[in-house]
Amino acid sequence: MPDIKLNNGVKMPSFGFGTWNLAEGEEVINSVSEALNAGYRLIDTARIYSNERGVGQAVRKSIVPREEIFVTTKLWPGDFGFDSALQAFDESLNRLRLEYIDLYLVHWPGHDANRRQESWRALTEINGKGLTKSIGVSNYMVEHLEELLETSNVVPAVNQIEFHPYIYNEQRPVLEFCQQHKIVIEAYSPLTQGRGLDSITVRDIAERMDRTPAQVVLRWAIQHGTVPIPKSATPERIRENIEVFDFELSAEDMKTLDELSS
Ligand code: NDP
């Protein structure tokens, strides 16, 4: 799996593993371990997932060296504010029991512009100390990104948003804005949380390509230049989902999938 270069020069894997809904303890430890064994090198968690301890444990006990694993966690809006964001970061680092985090994201923009901007200032300070290699945002729409770029000199490296064929049209403005500003899009819920995989359109393409519906929608996200982070608690699916770097969807199939959102 190729790496991609973020706008600050840091390398990030072009595919990742999501952990939302994986229970703290055995479930998250086993799933993240399975993912690392299958070749995933980017692990996505958040304070609000309540599984940072298990994620950290799986990363620390893996035979894959720490520097080859890209760990992301996130700041919840309940912790917004300069000092509380610094404290929330420390607490995440302590639960993960890691020396640094690769990517720290503002999880949601929230409703209070001042507190959002203060929090971003805290992230830039954490980044300056090297405690996180990169910083970014999540669920930011164009208006939030414009505000950030007007009030800070530090451009987010990543914007993590919901991205799959059924939401393509809605997300096009933010996708294009991010591409213009060299902000990498991470695609969350890239499998539509499992719900959209039964559509005839997706199944037809999958059958013709001799792939699974999950692989088809993940490949679609990759060909749109995004970094998908599918979640699974099922070992076979964890392995299936990462097998998406040895085939390509035609321009016509891409368009057919794009049109699922119109
Ligand atoms: P996904 O789109 O990744 O779907 C996960 C669901 O799909 C699970 O129910 C899983 O079941 C099922 N599934 C996995 N693989 C397959 C397969 N090959 N075939 C059929 N079904 C499959 O949803 P998520 O919402 O979890 O998104 C992925 C990650 O993105 C999250 O885990 C989280 O890390 C991040 N995220 C970030 C958000 C944010 O606000 N920043 C919001 C939401 C998600 P099973 O586990 O039983 O195998």
Side-chain angles (χ1 to χ4, degrees), residues 88-119:
F89 177 83
D90 277 347
E91 288 169 5
S92 280
L93 205 57
N94 285 338
R95 280 189 293 271
L96 284 156
R97 287 184 52 211
L98 298 174
E99 283 175 12
Y100 65 92
I101 287 168
D102 294 276
L103 177 65
Y104 196 46
L105 300 179
V106 177
H107 203 145
W108 286 90
H111 300 293
D112 183 331
N114 282 336
R115 277 159 56 83
R116 174 162 69 235
Q117 290 162 22
E118 282 300 286
S119 305

Side-chain angles (χ1 to χ4, degrees), residues 17-22 27 43-46 49 74 76 105-108 137-139 160-164 187-195 197 212-215 218 228-238 240-241:
F17 185 68
T19 67
W20 179 48
N21 266 342
L22 290 172
E27 185 176 54
I43 310 295
D44 182 83
T45 182
Y49 303 168
K74 311 187 192 89
W76 190 243
L105 300 179
V106 177
H107 203 145
W108 286 90
V137 295
S138 178
N139 297 296
Q160 185 181 112
I161 59 168
E162 184 174 356
F163 194 70
H164 47 70
Y188 80 63
S189 307
L191 301 170
T192 62
Q193 303 190 330
R195 290 191 293 258
L197 300 177
T212 66
Q215 289 170 333
L218 292 169
I229 49 169
K231 168 263 176 187
S232 176
T234 318
E236 302 77 48
R237 288 174 168 178
I238 292 174
E240 168 192 327
N241 293 344

